[in-house]
Protein backbone atom coordinates (compact mmCIF):
# COMPACT_ATOMS: atom_id res chain seq x y z
CA UNK A 1 0.00 0.00 0.00
CA UNK A 2 1.34 3.41 -0.94
CA UNK A 3 2.03 5.74 1.98
CA UNK A 4 0.72 9.30 1.50
CA UNK A 5 3.42 11.93 1.13
CA UNK A 6 1.28 14.87 2.16
CA UNK A 7 -1.83 15.76 4.15
CA UNK A 8 -4.01 18.83 4.50
CA UNK A 9 -4.61 21.10 7.47
CA UNK A 10 -7.93 20.18 9.07
CA UNK A 11 -9.08 23.82 9.13
CA UNK A 12 -7.69 25.66 6.09
CA UNK A 13 -6.71 22.75 3.82
CA UNK A 14 -3.10 23.84 3.43
CA UNK A 15 -0.87 21.03 2.17
CA UNK A 16 1.68 19.75 4.71
CA UNK A 17 4.10 16.81 5.00
CA UNK A 18 2.21 13.68 5.97
CA UNK A 19 2.33 12.53 9.58
CA UNK A 20 1.00 9.00 10.24
CA UNK A 21 0.63 9.84 13.93
CA UNK A 22 -1.28 13.10 13.38
CA UNK A 23 -2.90 12.91 9.92
CA UNK A 24 -5.49 15.59 10.80
CA UNK A 25 -3.22 18.04 12.57
CA UNK A 26 -3.46 21.80 12.02
CA UNK A 27 -0.87 23.94 10.26
CA UNK A 28 1.18 26.53 12.14
CA UNK A 29 -0.84 29.45 10.77
CA UNK A 30 -4.09 27.99 12.09
CA UNK A 31 -2.49 27.07 15.44
CA UNK A 32 -1.79 30.77 15.99
CA UNK A 33 -5.53 31.52 15.79
CA UNK A 34 -6.46 29.35 18.80
CA UNK A 35 -8.87 30.85 21.35
CA UNK A 36 -10.69 29.44 24.34
CA UNK A 37 -14.45 29.21 24.82
CA UNK A 38 -14.54 32.87 25.96
CA UNK A 39 -12.73 34.00 22.80
CA UNK A 40 -9.46 34.73 24.60
CA UNK A 41 -6.35 34.10 22.52
CA UNK A 42 -4.24 31.11 23.50
CA UNK A 43 -0.72 30.02 22.68
CA UNK A 44 0.96 26.76 23.60
CA UNK A 45 4.49 25.79 24.60
CA UNK A 46 6.53 22.92 26.00
CA UNK A 47 7.22 23.27 29.69
CA UNK A 48 10.91 22.52 29.23
CA UNK A 49 13.40 21.09 26.75
CA UNK A 50 12.33 17.65 27.88
CA UNK A 51 8.71 18.31 26.95
CA UNK A 52 5.55 18.99 28.91
CA UNK A 53 2.61 21.24 28.05
CA UNK A 54 1.75 24.83 28.99
CA UNK A 55 -1.01 27.05 27.63
CA UNK A 56 -0.72 30.82 27.82
CA UNK A 57 -3.79 33.06 27.92
CA UNK A 58 -2.79 36.28 26.19
CA UNK A 59 -5.79 38.17 27.63
CA UNK A 60 -5.19 37.33 31.28
CA UNK A 61 -1.40 36.97 30.89
CA UNK A 62 -1.48 33.68 32.79
CA UNK A 63 -0.14 30.18 32.22
CA UNK A 64 -2.36 27.15 32.49
CA UNK A 65 -3.19 23.79 30.97
CA UNK A 66 -6.05 24.62 28.62
CA UNK A 67 -6.07 21.84 26.06
CA UNK A 68 -9.47 22.54 24.49
CA UNK A 69 -9.35 25.42 22.05
CA UNK A 70 -11.38 26.73 19.11
CA UNK A 71 -10.04 27.61 15.69
CA UNK A 72 -12.42 29.13 13.14
CA UNK A 73 -15.30 27.63 15.09
CA UNK A 74 -13.90 24.08 15.22
CA UNK A 75 -13.24 22.51 18.60
CA UNK A 76 -9.65 21.24 18.80
CA UNK A 77 -7.28 19.72 21.31
CA UNK A 78 -3.74 21.02 21.90
CA UNK A 79 -1.17 18.69 23.38
CA UNK A 80 2.49 17.81 23.54
CA UNK A 81 3.59 16.18 20.32
CA UNK A 82 5.48 12.92 20.17
CA UNK A 83 9.21 13.68 20.31
CA UNK A 84 8.50 17.21 21.51
CA UNK A 85 6.76 20.31 20.26
CA UNK A 86 3.05 21.12 20.24
CA UNK A 87 0.40 19.64 18.01
CA UNK A 88 -3.27 20.60 17.67
CA UNK A 89 -5.80 18.09 16.35
CA UNK A 90 -9.58 18.28 15.97
CA UNK A 91 -11.82 16.71 18.58
CA UNK A 92 -14.71 14.43 17.63
CA UNK A 93 -17.01 17.38 18.13
CA UNK A 94 -14.86 19.45 15.79
CA UNK A 95 -14.86 16.70 13.17
CA UNK A 96 -18.63 16.39 13.38
CA UNK A 97 -19.04 20.13 12.92
CA UNK A 98 -16.84 20.08 9.83
CA UNK A 99 -18.84 17.21 8.32
CA UNK A 100 -22.10 19.08 8.97
CA UNK A 101 -20.65 22.27 7.50
CA UNK A 102 -19.47 20.41 4.41
CA UNK A 103 -22.94 18.92 3.97
CA UNK A 104 -24.51 22.36 4.32
CA UNK A 105 -22.05 23.88 1.86
CA UNK A 106 -22.75 21.04 -0.56
CA UNK A 107 -26.48 21.73 -0.38
CA UNK A 108 -25.93 25.45 -0.95
CA UNK A 109 -23.59 24.69 -3.87
CA UNK A 110 -26.10 22.33 -5.47
CA UNK A 111 -28.92 24.87 -5.13
CA UNK A 112 -26.69 27.60 -6.59
CA UNK A 113 -25.75 25.32 -9.50
CA UNK A 114 -29.41 24.54 -10.20
CA UNK A 115 -30.50 28.19 -10.03
CA UNK A 116 -27.59 29.43 -12.17
CA UNK A 117 -28.15 26.65 -14.73
CA UNK A 118 -31.75 27.82 -15.20
CA UNK A 119 -31.35 31.57 -14.70
CA UNK A 120 -28.27 32.00 -16.93
CA UNK A 121 -29.68 30.72 -20.25
CA UNK A 122 -33.12 32.22 -19.49
CA UNK A 123 -31.68 35.71 -18.86
CA UNK A 124 -29.45 35.60 -21.94
CA UNK A 125 -32.32 34.37 -24.10
CA UNK A 126 -34.46 37.22 -22.73
CA UNK A 127 -31.73 39.73 -23.63
CA UNK A 128 -31.42 38.24 -27.11
CA UNK A 129 -35.20 38.48 -27.65
CA UNK A 130 -35.25 42.13 -26.56
CA UNK A 131 -32.34 43.06 -28.83
CA UNK A 132 -34.02 41.93 -32.07
CA UNK A 133 -35.78 44.09 -34.68
CA UNK A 134 -33.85 47.32 -34.46
CA UNK A 135 -33.33 47.53 -30.72
CA UNK A 136 -31.75 50.81 -29.62
CA UNK A 137 -29.83 50.22 -26.38
CA UNK A 138 -30.24 53.69 -24.88
CA UNK A 139 -28.43 53.85 -21.56
CA UNK A 140 -28.66 51.17 -18.86
CA UNK A 141 -31.72 49.15 -19.87
CA UNK A 142 -33.37 45.80 -19.19
CA UNK A 143 -31.07 44.24 -21.81
CA UNK A 144 -28.04 45.21 -19.75
CA UNK A 145 -29.63 43.83 -16.57
CA UNK A 146 -30.42 40.52 -18.27
CA UNK A 147 -26.97 40.22 -19.88
CA UNK A 148 -25.20 40.92 -16.57
CA UNK A 149 -27.48 38.49 -14.70
CA UNK A 150 -27.08 35.80 -17.36
CA UNK A 151 -23.31 36.12 -17.66
CA UNK A 152 -22.77 36.06 -13.87
CA UNK A 153 -25.07 33.02 -13.58
CA UNK A 154 -23.23 31.09 -16.30
CA UNK A 155 -19.84 32.05 -14.85
CA UNK A 156 -21.05 30.89 -11.42
CA UNK A 157 -22.32 27.63 -12.90
CA UNK A 158 -18.98 26.91 -14.60
CA UNK A 159 -16.97 27.84 -11.50
CA UNK A 160 -19.08 25.71 -9.13
CA UNK A 161 -19.14 22.64 -11.34
CA UNK A 162 -15.52 22.70 -12.49
CA UNK A 163 -13.66 24.28 -9.55
CA UNK A 164 -11.90 21.01 -8.74
CA UNK A 165 -10.78 20.36 -12.31
CA UNK A 166 -8.18 22.89 -13.42
CA UNK A 167 -7.87 21.44 -16.93
CA UNK A 168 -11.59 21.97 -17.58
CA UNK A 169 -11.38 25.51 -16.21
CA UNK A 170 -8.54 26.20 -18.63
CA UNK A 171 -10.73 24.87 -21.45
CA UNK A 172 -13.64 27.03 -20.27
CA UNK A 173 -11.36 30.09 -20.27
CA UNK A 174 -10.21 29.32 -23.80
CA UNK A 175 -13.82 28.84 -24.89
CA UNK A 176 -14.76 32.21 -23.40
CA UNK A 177 -11.86 33.88 -25.22
CA UNK A 178 -12.75 32.14 -28.48
CA UNK A 179 -16.39 33.26 -28.13
CA UNK A 180 -15.37 36.86 -27.52
CA UNK A 181 -12.94 36.90 -30.44
CA UNK A 182 -15.27 35.03 -32.82
CA UNK A 183 -18.13 37.42 -32.11
CA UNK A 184 -15.88 40.46 -32.54
CA UNK A 185 -14.43 39.19 -35.81
CA UNK A 186 -17.50 37.80 -37.55
CA UNK A 187 -20.38 39.81 -36.11
CA UNK A 188 -18.88 43.00 -34.68
CA UNK A 189 -19.75 44.84 -37.90
CA UNK A 190 -23.46 44.64 -37.08
CA UNK A 191 -23.09 46.96 -34.06
CA UNK A 192 -25.63 44.68 -32.41
CA UNK A 193 -26.19 45.39 -28.68
CA UNK A 194 -26.51 41.70 -27.82
CA UNK A 195 -23.53 40.51 -29.85
CA UNK A 196 -21.42 43.41 -28.60
CA UNK A 197 -22.19 42.39 -25.02
CA UNK A 198 -21.32 38.75 -25.80
CA UNK A 199 -17.93 39.83 -27.19
CA UNK A 200 -17.07 41.95 -24.14
CA UNK A 201 -18.41 39.45 -21.59
CA UNK A 202 -16.58 36.57 -23.29
CA UNK A 203 -13.23 38.36 -23.17
CA UNK A 204 -13.79 39.60 -19.60
CA UNK A 205 -14.78 36.14 -18.34
CA UNK A 206 -11.70 34.65 -20.00
CA UNK A 207 -9.53 37.19 -18.17
CA UNK A 208 -11.20 36.39 -14.82
CA UNK A 209 -10.73 32.65 -15.25
CA UNK A 210 -7.15 33.14 -16.37
CA UNK A 211 -6.43 35.24 -13.28
CA UNK A 212 -7.92 32.63 -10.98
CA UNK A 213 -5.94 29.82 -12.60
CA UNK A 214 -2.70 31.81 -12.46
CA UNK A 215 -3.26 32.67 -8.78
CA UNK A 216 -3.89 29.02 -7.97
CA UNK A 217 -0.66 27.76 -9.56
CA UNK A 218 2.13 26.86 -7.16
CA UNK A 219 4.70 29.56 -7.93
CA UNK A 220 2.33 32.51 -8.34
CA UNK A 221 0.11 31.33 -5.49
CA UNK A 222 3.05 31.22 -3.08
CA UNK A 223 4.25 34.61 -4.24
CA UNK A 224 0.81 36.14 -3.73
CA UNK A 225 0.58 34.68 -0.21
CA UNK A 226 3.94 36.27 0.59
CA UNK A 227 2.73 39.54 -0.93
CA UNK A 228 -0.44 39.53 1.18
CA UNK A 229 1.45 38.54 4.28
CA UNK A 230 3.91 41.42 3.89
CA UNK A 231 6.89 39.09 3.90
CA UNK A 232 10.22 39.85 2.29
CA UNK A 233 9.70 38.92 -1.34
CA UNK A 234 12.45 40.59 -3.37
CA UNK A 235 11.83 41.47 -7.00
CA UNK A 236 8.07 41.60 -7.75
CA UNK A 237 8.53 41.08 -11.49
CA UNK A 238 6.57 37.83 -11.11
CA UNK A 239 3.37 39.89 -11.09
CA UNK A 240 3.90 40.41 -14.83
CA UNK A 241 2.91 36.76 -15.20
CA UNK A 242 -0.60 37.89 -14.24
CA UNK A 243 -0.77 41.31 -15.88
CA UNK A 244 0.68 40.42 -19.29
CA UNK A 245 -1.79 37.60 -20.20
CA UNK A 246 -4.77 39.79 -19.25
CA UNK A 247 -3.44 42.73 -21.27
CA UNK A 248 -2.83 40.38 -24.19
CA UNK A 249 -6.45 39.22 -24.03
CA UNK A 250 -7.71 42.82 -24.13
CA UNK A 251 -5.27 43.79 -26.88
CA UNK A 252 -6.35 40.72 -28.83
CA UNK A 253 -9.99 41.81 -28.59
CA UNK A 254 -9.13 45.26 -29.98
CA UNK A 255 -6.97 43.75 -32.74
CA UNK A 256 -9.71 41.29 -33.74
CA UNK A 257 -12.25 44.13 -33.90
CA UNK A 258 -10.03 46.08 -36.31
CA UNK A 259 -9.33 43.01 -38.44
CA UNK A 260 -13.05 42.26 -38.52
CA UNK A 261 -13.77 45.66 -40.04
CA UNK A 262 -11.01 45.15 -42.61
CA UNK A 263 -12.52 41.76 -43.46
CA UNK A 264 -15.93 43.37 -44.12
CA UNK A 265 -14.34 45.98 -46.40
CA UNK A 266 -12.64 43.26 -48.46
CA UNK A 267 -15.82 41.19 -48.70
CA UNK A 268 -17.90 44.17 -49.84
CA UNK A 269 -15.30 44.93 -52.53
CA UNK A 270 -15.04 41.37 -53.86
CA UNK A 271 -18.25 39.46 -53.04
CA UNK A 272 -21.49 39.71 -55.07
CA UNK A 273 -23.29 42.84 -53.85
CA UNK A 274 -26.31 44.98 -54.60
CA UNK A 275 -27.70 48.37 -53.60
CA UNK A 276 -30.90 49.45 -51.89
CA UNK A 277 -32.32 52.40 -49.99
CA UNK A 278 -32.17 52.61 -46.21
CA UNK A 279 -34.06 54.94 -43.89
CA UNK A 280 -32.64 56.47 -40.73
CA UNK A 281 -35.25 55.25 -38.28
CA UNK A 282 -33.81 56.90 -35.18
CA UNK A 283 -30.85 59.01 -34.05
CA UNK A 284 -29.46 58.89 -30.55
CA UNK A 285 -27.03 61.46 -29.15
CA UNK A 286 -25.59 61.07 -25.69
CA UNK A 287 -22.54 61.88 -23.58
CA UNK A 288 -20.28 59.69 -21.48
CA UNK A 289 -17.76 60.67 -18.84
CA UNK A 290 -14.51 58.74 -18.67
CA UNK A 291 -11.52 59.08 -16.40
CA UNK A 292 -9.54 61.09 -18.93
CA UNK A 293 -12.28 62.77 -20.92
CA UNK A 294 -15.47 64.46 -19.78
CA UNK A 295 -18.59 64.92 -21.92
CA UNK A 296 -17.47 62.51 -24.61
CA UNK A 297 -20.20 62.97 -27.26
CA UNK A 298 -21.65 59.96 -29.09
CA UNK A 299 -24.10 59.95 -31.97
CA UNK A 300 -25.64 56.74 -33.35
CA UNK A 301 -28.00 56.30 -36.27
CA UNK A 302 -30.29 53.28 -36.61
CA UNK A 303 -30.80 52.26 -40.26
CA UNK A 304 -33.74 50.21 -41.53
CA UNK A 305 -33.76 48.59 -44.97
CA UNK A 306 -35.40 45.72 -46.78
CA UNK A 307 -33.75 42.96 -48.84
CA UNK A 308 -35.89 40.36 -50.58
CA UNK A 309 -38.82 41.09 -48.29
CA UNK A 310 -36.78 40.79 -45.06
CA UNK A 311 -36.21 43.83 -42.85
CA UNK A 312 -32.72 44.51 -41.51
CA UNK A 313 -31.41 46.98 -38.94
CA UNK A 314 -27.91 48.36 -38.57
CA UNK A 315 -26.39 50.85 -36.16
CA UNK A 316 -23.93 53.39 -37.58
CA UNK A 317 -21.55 55.81 -35.91
CA UNK A 318 -23.17 59.13 -36.84
CA UNK A 319 -20.63 61.54 -35.37
CA UNK A 320 -18.99 62.40 -38.68
CA UNK A 321 -22.09 62.21 -40.89
CA UNK A 322 -24.85 63.62 -38.64
CA UNK A 323 -27.74 61.97 -40.47
CA UNK A 324 -31.18 62.97 -39.19
CA UNK A 325 -34.20 60.77 -38.49
CA UNK A 326 -36.11 60.15 -41.72
CA UNK A 327 -33.08 60.60 -44.00
CA UNK A 328 -32.80 58.21 -46.96
CA UNK A 329 -29.43 56.60 -47.74
CA UNK A 330 -28.27 54.51 -50.65
CA UNK A 331 -26.36 51.53 -49.29
CA UNK A 332 -24.37 48.69 -50.81
CA UNK A 333 -24.81 45.29 -49.18
CA UNK A 334 -23.36 41.81 -49.60
CA UNK A 335 -25.91 39.48 -51.20
CA UNK A 336 -25.02 36.52 -48.94
CA UNK A 337 -24.98 38.63 -45.76
CA UNK A 338 -27.13 41.79 -46.01
CA UNK A 339 -25.87 42.96 -42.62
CA UNK A 340 -22.57 43.86 -44.32
CA UNK A 341 -23.21 47.33 -45.71
CA UNK A 342 -21.51 50.52 -46.74
CA UNK A 343 -23.27 53.84 -47.28
CA UNK A 344 -22.91 55.03 -50.87
CA UNK A 345 -24.67 58.38 -50.67
CA UNK A 346 -27.32 60.28 -48.72
CA UNK A 347 -30.29 62.27 -49.98
Amino acid sequence: MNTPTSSQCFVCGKEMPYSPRYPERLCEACMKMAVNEKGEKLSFYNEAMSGGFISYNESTKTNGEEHICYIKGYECYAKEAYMGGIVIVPTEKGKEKKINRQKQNSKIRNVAILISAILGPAAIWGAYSISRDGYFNNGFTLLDVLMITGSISLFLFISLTLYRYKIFLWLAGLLYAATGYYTSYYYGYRNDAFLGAVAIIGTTSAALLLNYLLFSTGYIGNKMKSFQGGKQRGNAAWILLIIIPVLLLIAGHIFISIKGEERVDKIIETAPSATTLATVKEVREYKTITRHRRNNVHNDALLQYTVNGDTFYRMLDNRGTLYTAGSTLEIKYVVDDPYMIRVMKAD
Side-chain angles (χ1 to χ4, degrees):
M1 186 175 71
N2 293 331
T3 303
T5 58
S6 65
S7 60
Q8 292 183 325
C9 170
F10 175 81
V11 173
C12 70
K14 178 183 177 181
E15 192 169 293
M16 303 181 296
Y18 180 73
S19 170
R21 191 177 295 273
Y22 308 111
E24 295 180 299
R25 74 191 192 281
L26 277 63
C27 67
E28 290 186 13
C30 288
M31 289 173 64
K32 294 178 181 178
M33 293 188 286
V35 297
N36 61 17
E37 196 171 11
K38 297 178 182 179
E40 298 168 334
K41 187 170 177 57
L42 300 175
S43 53
F44 308 100
Y45 308 94
N46 288 130
E47 189 174 1
M49 291 291 290
S50 57
F53 175 86
I54 293 178
S55 66
Y56 178 72
N57 188 314
E58 297 188 15
S59 296
T60 61
K61 310 296 183 185
T62 57
N63 292 330
E65 291 189 10
E66 292 187 77
H67 291 274
I68 296 294
C69 59
Y70 298 86
I71 300 172
K72 291 189 176 181
Y74 296 114
E75 184 181 271
C76 299
Y77 189 85
K79 60 183 179 179
E80 179 189 3
Y82 180 71
M83 298 297 289
I86 298 295
V87 66
I88 299 180
V89 296
T91 63
E92 291 301 319
K93 187 176 179 180
K95 293 177 184 179
E96 183 180 355
K97 182 172 184 177
K98 183 173 184 179
I99 291 172
N100 292 335
R101 183 175 291 182
Q102 288 174 338
K103 289 180 179 178
Q104 184 180 12
N105 290 340
S106 180
K107 289 180 181 178
I108 294 172
R109 184 181 299 111
N110 291 336
V111 170
I113 289 174
L114 179 61
I115 293 174
S116 60
I118 297 172
L119 183 61
I124 290 178
W125 176 255
Y128 175 79
S129 301
I130 290 173
S131 68
R132 299 306 88 194
D133 299 328
Y135 175 75
F136 222 147
N137 190 21
N138 192 1
F140 191 77
T141 64
L142 180 60
L143 178 135
D144 300 295
V145 173
L146 290 173
M147 286 301 295
I148 292 172
T149 302
S151 60
I152 291 176
S153 296
L154 288 181
F155 193 86
L156 185 65
F157 174 78
I158 290 173
S159 300
L160 290 176
T161 54
L162 302 179
Y163 74 100
R164 291 181 178 178
Y165 308 100
K166 298 286 180 65
I167 183 65
F168 291 114
L169 282 178
W170 277 109
L171 291 175
L174 292 175
L175 182 60
Y176 265 123
T179 301
Y181 287 169
Y182 179 84
T183 308
S184 296
Y185 186 74
Y186 283 98
Y187 300 114
Y189 61 86
R190 293 187 184 184
N191 294 335
D192 184 291
F194 176 79
L195 295 174
V198 169
I200 294 172
I201 289 171
T203 307
T204 303
S205 299
L208 289 173
L209 273 177
L210 180 62
N211 260 289
Y212 166 74
L213 290 166
L214 287 173
F215 277 129
S216 63
T217 57
Y219 175 75
I220 295 178
N222 292 336
K223 284 289 187 179
M224 182 52 64
K225 287 177 183 177
S226 297
F227 184 82
Q228 292 173 334
K231 298 178 182 178
Q232 191 69 27
R233 54 189 178 275
N235 192 336
W238 61 270
I239 204 166
L240 294 176
L241 295 174
I242 300 169
I243 295 175
I244 290 177
V246 175
L247 292 179
L248 286 176
L249 273 174
I250 298 171
H253 176 75
I254 297 172
F255 175 77
I256 288 292
S257 300
I258 296 171
K259 298 303 290 185
E261 284 295 324
E262 293 178 359
R263 165 182 164 270
V264 174
D265 289 334
K266 291 179 181 178
I267 291 175
I268 290 178
E269 291 174 2
T270 58
S273 60
T275 60
T276 188
L277 295 178
T279 302
V280 179
K281 182 181 178 183
E282 189 178 345
V283 172
R284 178 186 66 166
E285 186 172 349
Y286 59 100
K287 295 179 180 180
T288 57
I289 299 176
T290 64
R291 180 180 177 183
H292 302 290
R293 188 174 180 183
R294 299 182 64 84
N295 298 327
N296 192 20
V297 178
H298 298 265
N299 191 306
D300 298 328
L302 179 64
L303 300 190
Q304 178 182 339
Y305 56 99
T306 303
V307 176
N308 298 327
D310 296 323
T311 302
F312 294 85
Y313 297 90
R314 274 293 313 274
M315 204 86 70
L316 295 180
D317 185 347
N318 196 32
R319 285 176 293 183
T321 50
L322 297 179
Y323 300 128
T324 58
S327 300
T328 302
L329 313 177
E330 182 182 352
I331 62 171
K332 181 180 180 181
Y333 66 89
V334 176
V335 173
D336 292 334
D337 189 352
Y339 280 107
M340 292 189 184
I341 67 169
R342 286 294 179 266
V343 176
M344 306 300 291
K345 61 180 180 179
D347 59 3

